[in-house]
Amino acid sequence: MTAKPSAPRVAISGAGPVGMALAIDLALRGVASVVFEKRSNQERIVARANMTNVRSMEHFRRWGIADALRENDPVSPEIQRDVAFVTRLNGHHIFDFPRAYEWSERLPIASEVAEWAPNEAIEKTLRERVLSLPLIDLRFENEVQSFTQDEDGVTLTVTTPQGEETLSASYLVISEGSRSKLRNEGLNVRMEGHPNLARSFLWHFRSERLAELWKASPMVSMLFFYNEDRGGDSLVPQAGTDHWAYFCSPVPDGVDGDDWEACRDMLFRAIGEEFEIEPLNGGTFWTHSMQAPRFDFGRVFLAGDSAHLVSPMGGFGMNLGIGDAADLGWKLAAVIQGWGGPMLLPSYSIERGEVTRFILDGCERNQFTGPRELVRDGIEDQGPLGDAVRAQVAADIDEKKARQFKRMGGQLGYRYSSSPVIVRDGTDEPPPSFEDYVPSAAPGNRAPHHWLADGTSLYDHVGQGFTLLILGELDTTGLRAAADARGIPVEFFAPEGTDRDDLQKLYSARGAVIRSDHHVAWRGDELPADADGLLDVITGTNAWAR
């Protein structure tokens, strides 16, 4: 056994999207990391991620990769970024959600738009950015087998192509996916919630012929089959017009999701005819709705699917993990750089745990609203009677599935209401809505977005630490002096003219402190006379006392 001489500040086990996102966030803050990935450089996984949602794209913009993801999208432009519901591909169109996953024009409420691109493009984009940053040491065919921790750091045992090695780091982040060995064995964590919601399968395959068979609707990003089989199956393009993914949840009784021929026959029935097809990979998995009881364990943290398991009915799995990386990254950097206090890292678990519960609940409700619940007898009938049934089902889809495909509340409306590093201002807010997003500048919320007159986003002016948004007369002398004396990065941004007027209406205050992850940490018409007290709270140095 040999020991590595270098000691990066953060070790990350798992180079999926969440692990790479965290490494990028840290590197842009000047913090070195080493990322261990047991796969080879060429090996790809069968992942269900296809959409980088609006909130994640806002983080991608911060990390300089939003446009790169759009450029790396391998799905043909012939495919509309819609969600469609049909009986069978050679049958009847029922309903669609136009542009459910992607918009060509910018949104007033966000700095980015969603991007529908499969996991291959997501990983490619993140990996290219990782390789461009010298502070990230990405090691393939390296697997963390075990770890120990003490008050000084974490010691890892890693298997490599050259043998077993040990490595020391200040912190370890486990982002190995849903079956994390380090979570299960190293931390002995028991996931809580609702296991085994549904038995599901996912198969990737190639077929040039399939694109010619689309009759009931145009080619779209996601096609659901609502017919009298009530199979819960859907079709998702992956690259060009010949690489596809066939997904089903729940799998019908009597179908073995690991048996390609059985799944292929089910696909043929959904398409309405047989065609030439080549299986690539796939199989069965269980859909769960669970999370770890906490995400912080001393110097070891859980992130992504290692921290929570989300029903895919909503597209939040990877995106929830990207939010973990955005929250944990700045907090690790703050503590490593000496300006983060003892409550800052524990606040990661509190903040992200609250959001996870919110997202799990919304996606779980989506899971139990599908063809078994919504399909009516006669949906495939010809003539006026069949048309009437399909119209009824379309109305039900519009009413009951909109939260799955118009879920801006879930993406943008979550808040950190229980966080100890937020200065609450007494605002009485209704519970957040998974469906409808209502901008709020109350502390703990994502800062309301605004496009400035010069074409930039408000978020483009938010720094790597804290940013005081100045919207009226504020005496900033005390805050500037206290932040400088303590080495806390605080920037000051004072928009003018119509931008200031518009933002005053959004924020209902003369000032707000915005964190680098875009959440409001403080809001008010006057900065506290005790500037150190304010900084103590938002850096996790102590609790706010009223």
Side-chain angles (χ1 to χ4, degrees):
M1 181 181 293
T2 61
K4 287 283 186 182
S6 59
R9 303 307 301 269
V10 180
I12 301 170
S13 180
V18 176
M20 288 192 289
L22 176 60
I24 292 167
D25 192 90
L26 290 168
L28 294 176
R29 301 174 191 277
V31 176
S33 66
V34 56
V35 186
F36 300 103
E37 174 53 56
K38 66 181 180 180
R39 292 176 292 164
S40 70
N41 189 20
Q42 291 76 34
E43 187 177 354
R44 299 292 181 265
I45 59 174
V46 180
R48 297 183 293 279
N50 285 283
M51 185 188 66
T52 306
N53 70 20
V54 170
R55 185 66 181 118
S56 293
M57 286 295 283
E58 290 185 328
H59 294 309
F60 276 38
R61 182 187 183 99
R62 286 197 299 119
W63 299 329
I65 55 176
D67 288 337
L69 178 59
R70 284 185 274 266
E71 293 169 1
N72 285 333
D73 180 4
V75 177
S76 170
E78 297 177 48
I79 294 171
Q80 298 178 16
R81 269 47 176 180
D82 301 348
V83 173
F85 297 78
V86 300
T87 54
R88 303 180 193 275
L89 202 56
N90 67 349
H92 300 276
H93 176 268
I94 302 171
F95 188 77
D96 58 35
F97 290 103
R99 300 191 303 170
Y101 290 131
E102 199 171 297
W103 304 271
S104 56
E105 70 280 357
R106 70 186 191 184
L107 303 174
I109 59 173
S111 65
E112 279 291 342
V113 295
E115 174 62 24
W116 178 267
N119 186 72
E120 176 185 346
I122 297 168
E123 287 210 358
K124 180 177 187 291
T125 302
L126 287 161
R127 189 175 295 182
E128 288 172 347
R129 186 63 167 134
V130 162
L131 295 175
S132 75
L133 296 168
L135 286 176
I136 303 175
D137 180 3
L138 176 57
R139 303 183 186 183
F140 291 101
E141 299 181 68
N142 278 242
E143 183 176 6
V144 181
Q145 295 294 339
S146 62
F147 64 87
T148 59
Q149 63 172 314
D150 56 31
E151 61 183 13
D152 296 319
V154 184
T155 300
L156 314 177
T157 300
V158 184
T159 55
T160 78
Q162 291 74 41
E164 192 171 90
E165 298 178 350
T166 60
L167 180 140
S168 297
S170 300
Y171 300 95
L172 168 65
V173 180
I174 299 170
S175 58
E176 302 174 325
S178 61
R179 300 177 181 179
S180 170
K181 181 178 72 173
L182 295 183
R183 177 197 66 207
N184 295 338
E185 299 177 9
L187 292 174
N188 193 31
V189 170
R190 179 181 181 273
M191 303 291 277
E192 299 176 341
H194 300 121
N196 304 331
L197 287 184
R199 187 169 58 93
S200 310
F201 72 65
L202 175 68
W203 280 93
H204 283 245
F205 65 91
R206 290 196 184 279
S207 174
E208 295 182 1
R209 171 72 173 146
L210 180 56
E212 303 173 10
L213 302 177
W214 286 69
K215 298 175 183 177
S217 86
M219 286 194 291
V220 295
S221 290
M222 181 168 283
L223 184 74
F224 286 89
F225 299 105
Y226 274 42
N227 51 51
E228 294 186 3
D229 294 341
R230 295 173 171 84
D233 46 342
S234 57
L235 188 64
V236 183
Q238 295 292 292
T241 57
D242 65 346
H243 180 185
W244 311 87
Y246 183 48
F247 172 69
C248 181
S249 182
V251 177
D253 294 339
V255 175
D256 180 357
D258 290 319
D259 181 349
W260 161 244
E261 292 187 356
C263 298
R264 179 202 61 191
D265 291 345
M266 187 174 167
L267 173 63
F268 286 165
R269 289 194 299 274
I271 301 304
E273 64 179 89
E274 297 184 5
F275 54 95
E276 188 174 343
I277 188 171
E278 174 194 357
L280 298 176
N281 45 47
T284 297
F285 62 94
W286 280 96
T287 292
H288 309 286
S289 182
M290 306 179 76
Q291 68 184 95
R294 59 188 295 172
F295 301 167
D296 65 306
F297 300 85
R299 290 179 172 270
V300 181
F301 302 86
L302 299 175
D305 286 355
S306 294
H308 36 68
L309 307 174
V310 187
S311 164
M313 299 302 181
F316 279 94
M318 180 207 72
N319 291 293
L320 189 58
I322 295 297
D324 295 344
D327 189 284
L328 183 57
W330 78 267
K331 293 174 179 177
L332 282 169
V335 173
I336 288 169
Q337 292 164 356
W339 56 271
M343 278 302 300
L344 194 58
L345 290 176
S347 75
Y348 161 69
S349 190
I350 296 170
E351 292 185 349
R352 296 307 298 172
E354 179 181 7
V355 174
T356 298
R357 289 187 291 274
F358 173 58
I359 296 299
L360 289 183
D361 177 70
C363 292
E364 198 169 324
R365 283 183 282 135
N366 290 338
Q367 179 73 43
F368 295 109
T369 309
R372 292 187 181 184
E373 294 76 25
L374 300 182
V375 166
R376 298 170 182 241
D377 292 342
I379 193 171
E380 297 188 72
D381 289 355
Q382 303 291 337
L385 291 179
D387 291 340
V389 172
R390 287 184 288 276
Q392 290 174 325
V393 173
D396 290 340
I397 292 171
D398 190 24
E399 176 188 355
K400 298 178 181 180
K401 298 294 283 183
R403 65 170 172 257
Q404 182 172 343
F405 303 110
K406 296 181 179 179
R407 54 195 176 282
M408 297 305 287
Q411 293 185 45
L412 306 180
Y414 63 88
R415 66 177 72 113
Y416 299 146
S417 59
S418 302
S419 175
V421 296
I422 296 294
V423 183
R424 284 166 284 279
D425 65 359
T427 301
D428 185 17
E429 294 191 284
S433 167
F434 193 77
E435 291 83 15
D436 301 317
Y437 170 61
V438 179
S440 171
N445 286 274
R446 168 185 166 273
H449 178 264
H450 179 66
W451 289 104
L452 304 182
D454 63 4
T456 61
S457 162
L458 171 64
Y459 295 168
D460 296 338
H461 301 271
V462 174
Q464 291 282 48
F466 300 103
T467 300
L468 176 62
L469 177 63
I470 302 170
L471 302 175
E473 292 296 326
L474 281 179
D475 182 359
T476 64
T477 306
L479 181 60
R480 290 177 188 270
D484 289 345
R486 296 169 59 169
I488 299 173
V490 178
E491 299 183 19
F492 299 83
F493 178 55
E496 299 178 349
T498 58
D499 288 330
R500 182 178 63 183
D501 295 341
D502 292 340
L503 285 165
Q504 280 179 336
K505 295 174 184 176
L506 277 175
Y507 283 77
S508 302
R510 289 202 292 263
V513 174
I514 302 175
R515 306 185 332 191
S516 61
D517 62 355
H518 306 153
H519 281 266
V520 178
W522 169 89
R523 176 181 67 164
D525 289 326
E526 293 183 2
L527 283 163
D530 181 8
D532 279 309
L534 170 59
L535 293 173
D536 282 347
V537 176
I538 65 178
T539 61
T541 303
N542 66 7
W544 185 260
R546 292 227 175 247

